[in-house]
Amino acid sequence: MTQVNPQAGQVTSPSDLTDPAQRGETSKNSPAGNKMSFGRWFREVGWRHIVGIIAIVYAIIPILYILSASLNPVGSVSATSVLPQTFSLDNYVALFTNPDRPFARWFLNTMLVAIIVVVTSIFCSALAAYAFSRFRFKGRRGSLLTLLLIQMFPQFLAAAALFILFTSIGDVLPAIGLDTIAGYILVLLGGALGQVWLIKGFFDSVPRELDEAAVMDGATHTQLYFKIILPLVRPILAVTGLLAFIGVLGEFILASIFLRDNEIKTLAVGLYGLLDADRTNNLGIFAAAAVLTSIPVILLFQYLQKFIVGGITAGSVKG
């Protein structure tokens, strides 16, 4: 049976209507016709795989060494290799059984300080960033420049002044003086507005039309801030919260000055003293503590990842 092509006026047989691949023909637009040569693939894509593999190997070697040291019962530098040769949980058990190094107490102290400081800092920074982004008032520009100038100087430059100040405060109010968790938290909260610039930049990207529409619908400033604006800026809040948490977890200089009693030390101070006491034989215990310390950071990152990846579009969906 033949068919007539009305445009060309030609007769077409059924065999001509079959797929070219079934007739053994290769189209120029088929995958086989567009197959990329190895040299071109390597120049455009392949070298990126090599760079990625090198970066992964470079990053994973210290992690493997710490894991190997934590599982090594000998716990010395000379007996530890990148790949674990022996498997033992003696170092992990020693962390919780020796009263001279109360790891559990240090861990709880650190988590308490980190949670209070991070939540308070993000809350205060978000409020200040919203005010600087949405309102126009006298001294706004000068305040922003002052915050930027203060952030240029590290906090430990004021360590001597803070030490003298909290020594005097401790004479009147011992609960917030030296060698107290509350006093150390107050010191860290001195930088509670350290994330204002980052959050303000994200606030500026939120259209002001949303504010006007919400006010026209009868929303108050409190409802506008907590129910509309904050859900839109969750990604930057998640990022700044994670960075603040890591910063508090690794803070050492001020903690070593204000927390001298063994029972109120944080992980940074306690683990430094553990390693400084015997750098050779305490490596296994220090590595085990480092592995356990990294778990809260990993869990927090996994939890906040959905907010970071979701972005502003996930928060702008109106329910």
Side-chain angles (χ1 to χ4, degrees):
M1 181 178 179
T2 60
Q3 296 180 357
V4 179
N5 190 336
Q7 296 180 354
Q10 298 177 354
V11 178
T12 305
S13 62
S15 61
D16 295 333
L17 299 176
T18 59
D19 188 6
Q22 296 178 1
R23 301 197 306 265
E25 300 179 1
T26 302
S27 176
K28 293 182 180 180
N29 295 328
S30 63
N34 291 336
K35 186 176 181 180
M36 186 184 299
S37 63
F38 176 79
R40 181 183 175 186
W41 174 85
F42 183 81
R43 290 193 304 269
E44 295 183 2
V45 181
W47 66 271
R48 302 180 184 181
H49 293 275
I50 296 178
V51 173
I53 293 174
I54 294 175
I56 292 174
V57 172
Y58 181 79
I60 205 172
I61 286 178
I63 299 176
L64 290 177
Y65 185 82
I66 292 297
L67 288 174
S68 176
S70 67
L71 297 173
N72 186 2
V74 179
S76 61
V77 177
S78 59
T80 302
S81 58
V82 175
L83 296 178
Q85 304 295 329
T86 57
F87 296 89
S88 175
L89 299 178
D90 293 343
N91 293 322
Y92 292 92
V93 175
L95 282 175
F96 298 94
T97 56
N98 191 338
D100 294 333
R101 45 174 180 264
F103 175 80
R105 184 67 178 179
W106 297 342
F107 187 87
L108 293 177
N109 292 340
T110 304
M111 292 300 105
L112 177 64
V113 172
I115 291 173
I116 295 177
V117 172
V118 169
V119 172
T120 307
S121 298
I122 298 303
F123 181 74
C124 294
S125 295
L127 288 175
Y130 178 75
F132 285 123
S133 175
R134 287 298 191 264
F135 302 136
R136 297 296 180 266
F137 51 89
K138 186 177 181 181
R140 171 179 173 273
R141 182 177 179 83
S143 300
L144 284 173
L145 293 177
T146 301
L147 286 175
L148 182 62
L149 181 64
I150 292 175
Q151 294 178 26
M152 296 175 61
F153 299 94
Q155 195 174 14
F156 69 84
L157 292 179
L162 290 173
F163 180 82
I164 297 174
L165 175 63
F166 276 84
T167 300
S168 302
I169 292 176
D171 295 336
V172 181
L173 297 174
I176 57 174
L178 294 177
D179 289 327
T180 61
I181 296 294
Y184 177 60
I185 291 175
L186 289 177
V187 172
L188 295 183
L189 287 180
L193 298 181
Q195 309 292 342
V196 170
W197 274 94
L198 289 175
I199 302 177
K200 177 188 175 297
F202 219 86
F203 273 123
D204 292 339
S205 65
V206 178
R208 294 179 177 271
E209 288 76 9
L210 293 176
D211 303 21
E212 298 173 358
V215 172
M216 291 180 63
D217 290 339
T220 63
H221 287 290
T222 303
Q223 292 174 335
L224 170 64
Y225 176 75
F226 286 101
K227 294 185 178 181
I228 297 178
I229 301 298
L230 281 188
L232 296 176
V233 298
R234 283 185 299 182
I236 193 62
L237 296 181
V239 172
T240 53
L242 181 62
L243 294 177
F245 183 83
I246 296 175
V248 174
L249 200 67
E251 204 287 317
F252 170 75
I253 297 179
L254 293 177
S256 62
I257 296 174
F258 285 85
L259 304 177
R260 297 169 296 181
D261 187 28
N262 197 37
E263 291 294 327
I264 62 172
K265 289 181 178 180
T266 58
L267 285 171
V269 180
L271 295 182
Y272 175 80
L274 173 66
L275 190 63
D276 189 58
D278 192 345
R279 295 180 181 270
T280 301
N281 296 322
N282 286 342
L283 176 63
I285 300 176
F286 177 84
V291 172
L292 295 178
T293 305
S294 65
I295 293 178
V297 180
I298 297 174
L299 294 178
L300 182 61
F301 177 79
Q302 292 297 325
Y303 174 75
L304 295 178
Q305 189 176 13
K306 60 182 179 181
F307 300 106
I308 299 173
V309 174
I312 194 171
T313 57
S316 62
V317 177
K318 185 175 181 180

